[in-house]
Amino acid sequence: MKSSQSFYFVILIICLSIGGLISTDIFLPALTPMSNFYKTTAHGMQTSISIFLFGISFAQLFYGPLSDSLGRKRVLLIGISVWLLSTAAILFTSTIHELLILRLFQGIGACAGITISRAIISDIFDRNQAGKFYLTIFPFVGMSPAIAPVIGGFLNDYWGWKSCFIFLMAFVSLTLLLCCFILNETHPKEKRKRFSVSCLLTNTYKVISDSNFLYFAAIPCFAYATYFAYIVESPFILTNLGLKASNIGYTFFTLSLTYVAGNITAKRILKKLDTERTISLGYIIFLIGGGTFALQMCISPNPIITSILSISILTFGNGFLLPLGTAQAIASRPDLSGTASGVMGFLQLGSAAISSLLIGIISGHQAEKTAIMIFLLSAFGFLIYSLGIYKKTKRKTFQGNTL
């Protein structure tokens, strides 16, 4: 690729990667006016986030194999078109049920970009290059959850909540144009596999029964589940703690900046340590953030500030876990990169969907209970990762003794 083509290619991959996150939380500052418009509860509006994530997670099981069979670009164009049409249709809804149905289709459409962009990266780069490329684009992925609510808050304050979806339509349209004119097919016909339900089930089983794949896929799963538990509860937690609703979007800047800092730090550490040790360091930081968040919620005299600071520690750890875990999981099955991308995305965003759906029900939007649940999620993820490290070390020791 020429330099100009490379630049636009990176922009396209960024748009495909962040589109789902922007679609998820651009309207977070508008949850209250939207709940009034649709005559529903706070949990009803949270469901619109969860159902979007479920749409993304389940669709990934199909986009990967379809792109393995039909090629990346064709399937990607279809998915983006569904994303654009469902976003436009939301402007004409009048009931919460209509919104939820369209949010499901919106998730299914946005899913194409998330899944197939990872397969495209796997087509073009080898394992080490993919990890470095992820660390290049993930800062933008990390910034999108912060920028989107700020934009959404501004749009909602001046033009109402529907303007959030008009902005999203413009973003999706730009992504569609870039895909049409910039992207070349990266999966040639001679490498394609015939699509069938039996083939889908067989390849999915091959990926999901691979212990190495599951081990690395669990890393972004727990990172996403923990982060989205905070994302969907933060409007209620911070409002109850005394922060104005119009200022909530700005709190995500700190989280995104620390996430980007985590990306940059991980990239530098990789020059000195191997991937596994770098992930271990990220997980320790991640656990410290979850534990500090729970502790400060019980004892801090100013929980608004300490909540943001402690969650920022967690997102700094996420800057290690998400890109490296994603790259390692997909690279563990290079023969089925599309399917591996889909299965990993299903597990990752499925975890986020379940977390975002249950956090409000279990916590009752109480700050202390939410903080404890976030700590338990981070601790459980760290425990699973540590057990995997222990088993790998034990296996290597056993093999060394038998030689």
Side-chain angles (χ1 to χ4, degrees), residues 15 18 20 51-52 73 89 110 115 119 130 204 215 231 256 291 304 327 371 388 402:
C15 289
I18 71 175
I51 199 168
F52 176 86
K73 186 171 182 177
T115 308
T204 300
Y215 173 69
I231 285 287
S256 292
I304 291 179
T402 56

Side-chain angles (χ1 to χ4, degrees), residues 68-290:
D68 282 342
S69 176
L70 302 176
R72 312 299 187 206
K73 186 171 182 177
R74 184 188 308 177
V75 179
L76 187 57
L77 288 172
I78 294 172
I80 296 175
S81 298
V82 172
W83 184 17
L84 178 60
L85 292 173
S86 57
T87 301
I90 288 176
L91 299 174
F92 303 97
T93 57
S94 58
T95 69
I96 186 63
H97 302 292
E98 293 171 348
L99 174 67
L100 294 179
I101 291 171
L102 289 171
R103 284 287 287 170
L104 177 63
F105 279 100
Q106 201 181 28
I108 292 171
C111 172
I114 296 172
T115 308
I116 298 176
S117 64
R118 291 193 294 246
I120 291 171
I121 291 170
S122 184
D123 290 339
I124 297 175
F125 303 110
D126 63 28
R127 188 169 184 157
N128 290 330
Q129 289 174 330
K132 292 177 181 178
F133 188 80
Y134 278 117
L135 287 170
T136 299
I137 65 171
F138 264 69
F140 297 95
V141 176
M143 287 298 293
S144 61
I147 296 173
V150 173
I151 294 173
F154 176 81
L155 293 172
N156 176 65
D157 288 343
Y158 285 92
W159 294 287
W161 66 265
K162 288 188 177 183
S163 60
C164 298
F165 292 94
I166 294 174
F167 173 87
L168 188 57
M169 283 176 58
F171 176 87
V172 181
S173 298
L174 172 63
T175 305
L176 184 61
L177 288 173
L178 287 172
C179 186
C180 288
F181 296 106
I182 299 301
L183 182 65
N184 296 318
E185 180 57 59
T186 62
H187 193 56
K189 291 182 179 180
E190 59 269 19
K191 291 186 177 181
R192 296 178 191 176
K193 300 174 176 63
R194 184 177 63 87
F195 177 80
S196 67
V197 175
S198 61
C199 183
L200 169 64
L201 295 175
T202 300
N203 290 340
T204 300
Y205 176 76
K206 287 180 181 178
V207 171
I208 208 165
S209 61
D210 188 322
S211 59
N212 197 42
F213 168 83
L214 291 176
Y215 173 69
F216 285 113
I219 296 170
C221 280
F222 280 100
Y224 252 49
T226 306
Y227 183 58
F228 271 90
Y230 175 79
I231 285 287
V232 299
E233 279 298 297
S234 58
F236 306 104
I237 292 176
L238 297 175
T239 300
N240 291 337
L241 292 176
L243 188 67
K244 292 181 179 179
S246 58
N247 292 329
I248 289 174
Y250 295 104
T251 66
F252 291 99
F253 267 119
T254 304
L255 308 188
S256 292
L257 287 174
T258 53
Y259 177 84
V260 172
N263 285 158
I264 295 171
T265 305
K267 194 171 183 177
R268 290 179 178 176
I269 291 175
L270 274 176
K271 297 177 181 179
K272 301 178 180 179
L273 301 179
D274 59 29
T275 301
E276 199 164 83
R277 290 182 180 179
T278 305
I279 293 174
S280 296
L281 178 60
Y283 239 132
I284 292 171
I285 298 169
F286 178 77
L287 178 62
I288 291 172

Side-chain angles (χ1 to χ4, degrees), residues 10 31 34 49-50 67 112 169 185 292 297 300 306 314 341 369 398:
V10 172
L31 284 180
M34 287 183 71
I49 298 173
S50 302
S67 71
M169 283 176 58
E185 180 57 59
T292 306
M297 195 63 75
S300 174
T306 52
L314 185 144
S341 175
K369 290 184 178 179
F398 175 76

